[in-house]
Amino acid sequence: MFKKIAGLFLAAAVMCSSAAITASAAEAEDDAAVAAADQSGEVSADGSSEVSADASSEVEAGNVVKFDVKKSGWNNVKTVFCHIWKADGSGDWPAWQSKKEKCKYDASTGIATYDLSMTGNTISKSDGRVYCVIFSANTGMQSYNAIMSGKCIGDTLYCTGNQLENPEDSEKKANEAKWENNSDCGPEKKITSTGNIIGSAFPEGESDATLLATYLVAYYNDEAKTSFTQKLLDELKVSPTQVMGAVTDRLNATNNPDKDTIAPAVEKILAGCTDPTTGKKVDKTQLDNAKKTGAKAAAGSSSNGSSSSSSNGGSSSSGSGSSSTGAVKSGVETTIVFVMAGLMVSAAGVMFLARKKKED
């Protein structure tokens, strides 16, 4: 009789242990699912087609940009289009005046509204000046490139009436466009093919030095265009050394196959210029160092450090997720250890009672 009771007791302990292990495993699966759900809401760094809960709420709140046709003085307009792209040329964006670029146009108010989700990309209010935008109409009218940041969401662009020289073709004119509430964005700053400076706003990462660097890289072997170099240095108030460094950085970043030809040619052009920041002829040793190392060499190392840090921070977020999963696994293991200990104690108790009964 005693053996039967002991056997039942041991079986019950095993069943309880199995139930505890099953419950712990289920709890682990639930915790892992929650951790996965937490991470699934992350939006990719390049802001492509993944839409987070924040982005969805922005759409509901009016994730749009607008264009004032009446204020711009455009007549006989029936259809308005909005062309948006990344200033650095990255990503996939709708084709010019395609169906995905069509705005909702209210002829009575003259306001054309474009839903940014139609681009197929996530544009958030926290984004910097990384986009360019052009509004155009069925009449052939179009605005000049305007820099756009996430802060421009909900804002209205309009043409001021000023005619700018087209950067690529001096025979053509461009309609200057500005935002009503974001003065730091607006007409993109560029140097035209005739050496004139137009616009006022830069996309992120660009400056007066990189502006002139881009011009010289494009026209380094065109004497008529490079003859404007001193004038441009004076107007932009940048040193030849800064520009030389920016040229090197640009050539390296784009892995330009002609960099060994372009860099010396640009150095020769800048070597004959006066530095408007000092009023003296450029220091040729510094100019040569800039050609070799790039303007961002010193600052770039600290910048890269920050980026690295930021990147690691992102990884750390994923690491936290992994830690959570690790904690869940540890919980299961701990439970199993306690259950096994319980089994051993139970078995020891049964053996003790059996021995005692035998002695009695």
Side-chain angles (χ1 to χ4, degrees):
M1 181 67 181
F2 176 77
K3 287 182 180 179
K4 287 183 180 179
I5 293 172
L8 288 171
F9 180 74
L10 188 57
V14 170
M15 289 175 68
C16 289
S17 302
S18 299
I21 292 171
T22 302
S24 296
E27 184 180 357
E29 286 179 4
D30 289 343
D31 287 346
V34 169
D38 287 342
Q39 291 180 12
S40 67
E42 294 177 1
V43 180
S44 63
D46 63 1
S48 54
S49 57
E50 297 173 13
V51 180
S52 66
D54 289 342
S56 300
S57 64
E58 282 180 7
V59 171
E60 291 168 9
N63 191 38
V64 301
V65 287
K66 304 172 185 177
F67 183 74
D68 195 327
V69 174
K70 280 190 176 179
K71 191 173 182 178
S72 300
W74 293 6
N75 299 313
N76 305 315
V77 172
K78 292 182 180 178
T79 310
V80 180
F81 301 90
C82 180
H83 185 62
I84 293 178
W85 70 99
K86 266 281 187 70
D88 64 4
S90 64
D92 293 320
W93 300 83
W96 176 259
Q97 291 193 346
S98 60
K99 186 176 180 180
K100 288 186 176 181
E101 291 196 338
K102 190 174 180 180
C103 301
K104 183 179 179 181
Y105 178 50
D106 186 340
S108 63
T109 61
I111 299 296
T113 304
Y114 182 66
D115 181 353
L116 293 171
S117 67
M118 293 293 287
T119 65
N121 293 275
T122 299
I123 299 177
S124 304
K125 285 187 179 291
S126 59
D127 292 344
R129 300 186 311 274
V130 295
Y131 306 101
C132 292
V133 58
I134 294 175
F135 279 92
S136 63
N138 61 292
T139 58
M141 295 294 286
Q142 70 179 65
S143 62
Y144 170 62
N145 299 6
I147 298 300
M148 175 184 138
S149 72
K151 292 189 299 180
C152 296
I153 293 175
D155 202 354
T156 303
L157 193 73
Y158 67 95
C159 288
T160 64
N162 289 339
Q163 295 283 297
L164 304 175
E165 180 184 339
N166 186 298
E168 311 303 330
D169 185 350
S170 59
E171 297 298 317
K172 296 179 180 178
K173 297 296 179 184
N175 297 304
E176 180 186 58
K178 292 185 177 182
W179 296 97
E180 287 186 349
N181 302 310
N182 286 278
S183 57
D184 61 325
C185 294
E188 184 179 10
K189 195 169 185 178
K190 281 194 171 186
I191 300 173
T192 71
S193 57
T194 58
N196 293 316
I197 300 169
I198 62 169
S200 59
F202 284 118
E204 297 287 342
E206 297 295 324
S207 65
D208 287 328
T210 64
L211 180 69
L212 184 48
T214 300
Y215 178 83
L216 291 174
V217 167
Y219 300 119
Y220 72 95
N221 59 350
D222 187 330
E223 193 174 342
K225 290 180 172 58
T226 59
S227 65
F228 299 118
T229 303
Q230 184 65 63
K231 175 182 85 78
L232 291 167
L233 286 168
D234 294 340
E235 290 177 6
L236 295 170
K237 294 180 174 61
V238 291
S239 75
T241 303
Q242 285 177 300
V243 176
M244 186 69 248
V247 166
T248 297
D249 289 340
R250 182 63 44 97
L251 293 174
N252 289 337
T254 58
N255 199 23
N256 193 305
D258 299 319
K259 63 182 180 181
D260 292 335
T261 300
I262 297 172
V266 173
E267 182 181 25
K268 185 176 179 181
I269 294 165
L270 293 171
C273 295
T274 298
D275 186 341
T277 65
T278 63
K280 300 176 182 178
K281 281 289 183 182
V282 64
D283 185 314
K284 292 184 180 180
T285 301
Q286 290 181 357
L287 191 67
D288 191 52
N289 285 338
K291 184 188 74 172
K292 292 174 182 174
T293 62
K296 298 176 184 175
S301 57
S302 77
S303 266
N304 291 338
S306 300
S307 295
S308 234
S309 236
S310 175
S311 194
N312 290 338
S315 299
S316 147
S317 174
S318 299
S320 295
S322 301
S323 261
S324 271
T325 309
V328 169
K329 288 179 181 175
S330 296
V332 175
E333 289 162 2
T334 303
T335 303
I336 291 171
V337 168
F338 277 117
V339 168
M340 293 302 294
L343 279 171
M344 290 172 68
V345 170
S346 298
V350 171
M351 290 173 66
F352 173 75
L353 289 172
R355 186 179 296 174
K356 185 171 177 63
K357 182 169 178 61
K358 188 175 180 182
E359 288 173 357
D360 292 343

